[in-house]
């Protein structure tokens, strides 16, 4: 079997990989940087990355124009992304038909974390990266976070560091641990998807100036810090093989309320049930259609009720980006989001209450989301029966029920100060096992299995899967049933 | 755990199901009907279902019109399906930009086979069903083959028999063996997908007049008969759990050239690599755009070169359908298709040569297809280097290489006499393990694993998976490595 595209008949065993990841998730020795050293390094990166972000009127955007025909806000190169209109029709829910602006970015980017064994322990190469939409300048991002425009160098910046580590196929030698297309926010993006990759690299790969090596234990503890691990880092982490879950046999659903085929059947039934059509429109039609609620001023495209989000422009000057200064449009969400997962033990095994979530920008209408995912302000004008299910349970939680509670940011390259409160809440003893049709109890093993495939878990659920893996409670639960 | 939506903590073991399916696939006793009795029954159904199909001009279609604004061919009710235009742009291949008519049917239908234990052996409930596009009147279809328009009774016909067997969730008690959305022909359908279901039912379910109970062994042998098992039956069969493959552990890739994660990474790389945009257009724009090649006469919408397909109208009268007479448009492919899978043993394990196949109507650009899937006539005007890869291997095969070779029909409710030649060909000893970037060797176990998830294998590959499972050669191969 001498051919280079053939890996050979022997594979590194999955259980060895699991053990190596588990060692990194529990490591107390062998770390390249102590936690204190990390925070000192991060503070240094914060000082080095002075990024000045100023809101500007649309006519101050350079290179970005409203197309005279369509009214779409787009870059003169035709690349990057554009803000277009979307017309949505559904057969369910409180709003059956609406128009909205939406970000269209048809390119598939790469979000990748390189891992390497150092001192016998796997470390992840993380990047200190400032984004104009971040509330706090620098956050921790994956090794590579690059759109195709980035890495084909449309904007004439410098090459993307470490991109070569993620080349697969004949041209590359990446040893891939995970590689899957996943969606992003379906209310804000039209059919956006990125390649989520984890690859193992050799000792020749070293950390450059803005990069650091961290164990999985360190990254897990950083996930509990406000606005520190960025969205891209969280989604890639969620796609990493789970170090606490053995090889996923089909009947490994022992201990789960529903078998794997029952879960897949439920997902299929939700996709079949929910009819939704979403059609791109000229943005001008959204602004000009009476009753759409959206209007454009010189500074923003906003909803007349002050709800949902606005499209704004920013001027950015940076000491450390590929390009030193630029302008761009961003989406500014209005109101703080609540993204919460209810968990409960059944037969000693931790289950999560997952919803079949519909967003117009999903490729196939439905993806799995957390128990609650909403901006409560957007529902304030609706009746009690149209409030999001289980939002009351989240609101009325007692302190001892809260297992995870952290403000985290969404992608700062597209969204302006988009912070959400991520919560994991343990449901009470008397919380029912029976669920409404759009909800199902699933184990972490079942979520991990679905994360190997595209477009099953939405980006908010993926952050909460990463958060779940940081909980001691889950470790205990899984240990019983491995 | 008294709640009805909860299945309980104990699941029927996957390996017991595998054994029961295996028994049905090898059964020589316990069959409800002998093979001879089946063919006699089928001949009776052929005689009973007299269906008269006559090509008619578009203005003879009743209930179907070209919309005055868009020129789309659609039903007055707004349901069923419509023929629209599609504009396609890609960054690769011999044709980089084209327009074409395409069938748009946004509803998700159900294709379902009910299985039941009779005389201790699992039997599948199959239906003798005539479709206007069939070359031979009646073919064997799944228990249920229903669009949402069908089962919500838009056309005022009779209720769909056995539909209740396929109700899942709170309202139903289906015991689901498989339930997954899968795509159909992406060159002819825009984002078409159907729900492929296999459910086990109890002794209360009996075969009605047009239905018969067959073991998996019998169905497998019928798959080698020309135009007998229809497309819908074949795709559902392919999604059935494989009776020769044990529970799919992640590192169960022992014996495969590529590990499962390597295969998933390759799929992701192909999806990222191939940029394609496909946008629905008014059909009028396709006909009126100079150089599109498509023109409409009173009888057909055809390509000026006589290639690809035509849209035609038919008038159908039937003694046995829900509605006794109707008219409808159909898509008539021009030229016979070759759909071939090369197989080869590596380390004693049978591998299939799978391609990353791009069709404009796929939800996400790329799905996995057979080694060769083309209508050679459509490539006749292109240079040697633009011929489909491996078509020469298929053409130059020796008789002893051919493991499967049967003419089979595509969906007769939408396509007029769409026959393809399905082939499984054993590659020679010296056929290389190394593959071009758009091809990979995969085992049947790997294909079966992907078939649990939506939109990985295209409909042609699914037929060939069903065909592969009928081969004695595969049995032998898997037995070595189970």
């Amino acid at each position: 079997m001498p051919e280079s595209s053939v890996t050979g008949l022997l594979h590194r065993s999955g259980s060895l990989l699991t053990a190596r990841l588990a060692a990194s998730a529990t490591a107390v020795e062998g770390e390249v940087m102590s936690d204190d050293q990390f925070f000192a390094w991060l503070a240094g990166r914060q000082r080095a990355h002075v990024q000045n972000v100023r809101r500007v009127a649309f006519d101050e955007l350079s290179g970005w124009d409203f197309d005279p025909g369509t009214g779409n806000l787009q870059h003169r190169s035709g690349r990057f992304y554009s803000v277009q209109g979307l017309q949505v029709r559904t057969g369910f829910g409180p709003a059956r038909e609406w128009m909205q602006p939406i970000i269209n970015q048809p390119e598939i980017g790469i979000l990748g974390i390189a891992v390497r064994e150092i001192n016998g322990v796997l470390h992840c190469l993380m990047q200190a990266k400032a984004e104009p939409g971040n509330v706090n300048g620098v956050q921790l991002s994956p090794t590579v976070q690059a759109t195709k425009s980035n890495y084909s160098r449309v904007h004439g910046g410098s090459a993307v560091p470490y991109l070569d580590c993620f080349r697969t196929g004949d041209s590359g030698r990446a040893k891939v641990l995970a590689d899957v297309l996943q969606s992003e926010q379906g209310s804000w993006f039209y059919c956006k998807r990125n390649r989520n990759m984890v690859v193992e690299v050799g000792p020749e790969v070293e950390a450059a100036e803005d990069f650091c090596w961290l164990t999985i234990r360190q990254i897990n503890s950083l996930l509990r810090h406000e606005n520190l691990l960025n969205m891209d880092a969280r989604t890639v982490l969620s796609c990493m093989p789970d170090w606490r879950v053995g090889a996923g046999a089909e009947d490994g659903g022992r201990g789960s309320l529903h078998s794997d085929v029952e879960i897949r059947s439920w997902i299929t039934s939700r996709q079949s049930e929910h009819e939704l059509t979403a059609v791109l429109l000229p943005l001008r039609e959204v602004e000009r259609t009476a009753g759409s609620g959206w209007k454009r001023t010189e500074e923003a495209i906003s909803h007349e009720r002050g709800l949902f989000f606005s499209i704004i422009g920013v001027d950015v000057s940076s000491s450390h980006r590929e390009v030193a200064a630029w302008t761009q449009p961003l989406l500014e969400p209005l109101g703080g989001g609540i993204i919460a997962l209810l968990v409960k033990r059944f037969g000693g095994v931790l289950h999560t209450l997952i919803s079949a979530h519909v967003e117009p920008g999903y490729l196939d209408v439905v993806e799995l989301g957390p128990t609650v995912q909403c901006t409560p302000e957007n529902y304030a004008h609706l009746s009690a029966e149209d409030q999001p299910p289980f939002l009351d349970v989240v609101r009325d939680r007692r302190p001892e029920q809260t297992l995870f509670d952290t403000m985290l940011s969404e992608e700062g390259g597209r969204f302006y100060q988009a912070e959400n409160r991520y919560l994991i809440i343990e449901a009470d003893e008397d919380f029912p096992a029976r669920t409404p049709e759009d909800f199902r109890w699933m184990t972490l093993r079942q979520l991990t299995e679905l994360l190997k495939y595209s477009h099953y878990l939405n980006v908010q659920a993926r952050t909460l899967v990463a958060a779940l893996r940081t909980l001691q409670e889950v470790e205990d639960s899984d240990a019983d049933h491995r």
Side-chain angles (χ1 to χ4, degrees), chain A:
Chain A
M1 210 69 52
E3 291 86 355
S4 72
S5 79
V6 166
T7 322
L9 297 177
L10 286 172
H11 303 293
R12 179 187 281 268
S13 135
S15 55
L16 175 55
L17 175 63
T18 303
R20 295 168 76 223
L21 291 168
S24 179
T26 52
V28 286
E29 286 184 40
E31 286 167 356
V32 170
M33 260 182 191
S34 71
D35 294 357
D36 287 349
Q37 285 170 327
F38 165 77
F39 283 107
W41 172 84
L42 184 69
R45 293 300 91 207
Q46 285 280 16
R47 286 190 298 273
H49 289 268
V50 179
Q51 196 172 68
N52 205 335
V53 181
R54 190 170 55 90
R55 294 178 71 138
V56 295
F58 290 126
D59 64 7
E60 292 176 71
L61 292 178
S62 156
W64 293 85
D65 300 297
F66 291 100
D67 180 84
T70 60
N72 293 342
L73 179 53
Q74 58 195 36
H75 194 261
R76 270 170 223 168
S77 67
R79 304 298 299 261
F80 305 115
Y81 54 98
S82 62
V83 181
Q84 305 189 10
L86 192 74
Q87 170 142 47
V88 188
R89 291 196 178 90
T90 76
F92 55 91
R96 301 281 168 119
E97 190 168 343
W98 73 89
M99 289 183 173
Q100 65 167 84
I102 199 151
I103 300 175
N104 188 10
Q105 181 173 359
E107 303 175 335
I108 296 176
I110 292 180
L111 311 178
I113 293 180
V115 301
R116 184 191 138 190
E117 197 166 289
I118 306 176
N119 306 329
V121 181
L122 288 178
H123 284 68
C124 300
L125 187 57
M126 305 301 285
Q127 181 180 11
K129 193 173 173 73
E131 292 285 7
N134 287 355
V135 291
N136 55 345
V138 166
Q139 297 191 9
L140 214 51
S141 86
T143 318
V144 162
Q145 175 181 319
T147 64
K148 229 173 204 173
S149 296
N150 273 150
Y151 61 76
S152 53
R153 322 239 328 240
V154 173
H155 53 19
S158 48
V160 176
Y162 302 108
L163 190 61
D164 279 345
C165 297
F166 296 88
R167 292 204 193 283
T168 58
D170 276 356
S171 55
R173 51 188 173 157
K175 192 186 135 196
V176 177
L177 307 189
D179 186 1
V180 61
L181 290 190
Q182 297 292 6
S183 73
E184 296 185 2
Q185 285 79 0
S187 297
W188 300 341
F189 278 125
Y190 180 74
C191 295
K192 170 82 177 290
R193 52 222 198 285
N194 270 322
R195 193 171 174 182
N196 286 244
M197 298 184 76
V198 182
V199 302
E200 185 171 354
V201 297
E204 71 285 358
V205 176
E206 292 179 9
E209 187 181 41
D210 285 323
F211 294 79
C212 67
W213 292 108
L214 298 174
T215 62
I216 295 174
R217 184 202 66 74
Q218 290 179 304
I219 293 174
N220 280 345
S221 82
L222 296 178
L223 189 50
R224 292 176 166 263
H225 287 253
E226 283 203 354
N227 299 311
L228 181 42
L229 271 184
N230 80 0
M231 181 186 97
D232 294 347
R234 301 191 308 266
T235 174
V236 178
L237 280 175
S238 76
C239 295
M240 188 178 274
D242 193 331
W243 53 89
R244 287 183 324 283
V245 175
E250 167 67 11
D251 64 351
R254 269 189 300 274
S256 61
L257 283 179
H258 306 284
S259 70
D260 292 0
V261 66
E262 285 166 354
I263 290 294
R264 292 195 301 267
S265 177
W266 169 71
I267 297 168
T268 305
S269 77
R270 297 302 86 201
Q271 288 173 316
S272 303
E273 200 68 30
H274 291 305
E275 285 188 16
L276 179 142
T277 59
V279 180
L280 285 176
L281 289 179
L283 183 55
R284 172 156 298 152
E285 277 192 49
V286 176
E287 295 158 15
R288 291 196 177 166
T289 299
S292 85
W294 293 92
K295 55 186 195 312
R296 181 174 124 197
T297 66
E298 288 177 8
E299 283 91 22
I301 303 166
S302 307
H303 194 266
E304 58 188 11
R305 284 217 199 86
L307 298 179
F308 311 121
F309 59 81
S310 296
I311 303 294
I312 62 167
V314 294
D315 176 288
V316 190
S317 55
S318 160
S319 55
H320 254 77
R321 286 283 290 226
E322 305 96 279
V323 180
W326 72 94
T327 61
Q328 68 174 92
L330 289 173
L331 184 153
E332 178 187 29
L334 302 176
I338 298 284
I339 298 176
L341 193 60
L342 290 182
V343 301
K344 188 180 172 182
R345 264 166 226 285
F346 295 98
V349 178
L350 202 75
H351 283 67
T352 62
L353 188 56
I354 295 291
S355 68
H357 202 80
V358 177
E359 297 184 16
Y362 289 151
L363 211 56
D364 205 5
V365 183
V366 170
E367 296 193 11
L368 302 188
T371 320
V372 173
Q373 174 191 323
C374 70
T375 302
E377 286 91 326
N378 293 342
Y379 292 82
H381 64 293
L382 297 174
S383 67
E385 70 193 13
D386 285 330
Q387 295 301 309
F390 304 114
L391 180 56
D392 54 340
V393 180
V394 175
R395 280 193 172 130
D396 300 342
R397 71 189 177 277
R398 299 181 312 280
E400 68 271 21
Q401 290 181 277
T402 306
L403 306 180
F404 184 93
D405 180 1
T406 311
M407 293 296 287
L408 295 168
S409 299
E410 310 307 323
E411 162 60 345
R414 297 294 173 270
F415 309 133
Y416 185 74
Q417 305 195 345
E419 286 182 287
N420 285 311
R421 186 166 186 174
Y422 283 85
L423 292 148
I424 299 178
I425 296 167
E426 186 153 29
D428 281 327
E429 280 284 309
D430 61 353
F431 193 91
R434 188 192 173 101
T435 53
E437 259 310 284
D438 276 334
F439 292 81
R440 279 295 179 275
W441 289 106
M442 296 174 59
T443 64
L444 181 54
R445 185 196 61 76
Q446 290 177 323
L447 295 173
T448 294
E449 198 60 25
L450 289 174
L451 277 167
K452 295 176 185 170
Y453 303 92
S454 293
H455 310 316
Y456 280 90
L457 263 67
N458 76 2
V459 66
Q460 292 87 355
R462 297 203 300 279
T463 281
L464 285 166
V465 165
L468 263 175
R469 291 183 185 152
T470 71
L471 301 183
Q472 185 58 41
E473 287 81 355
V474 180
E475 303 266 354
D476 295 344
S477 159
D478 280 13
D480 294 338
H481 297 269
R482 209 174 295 165

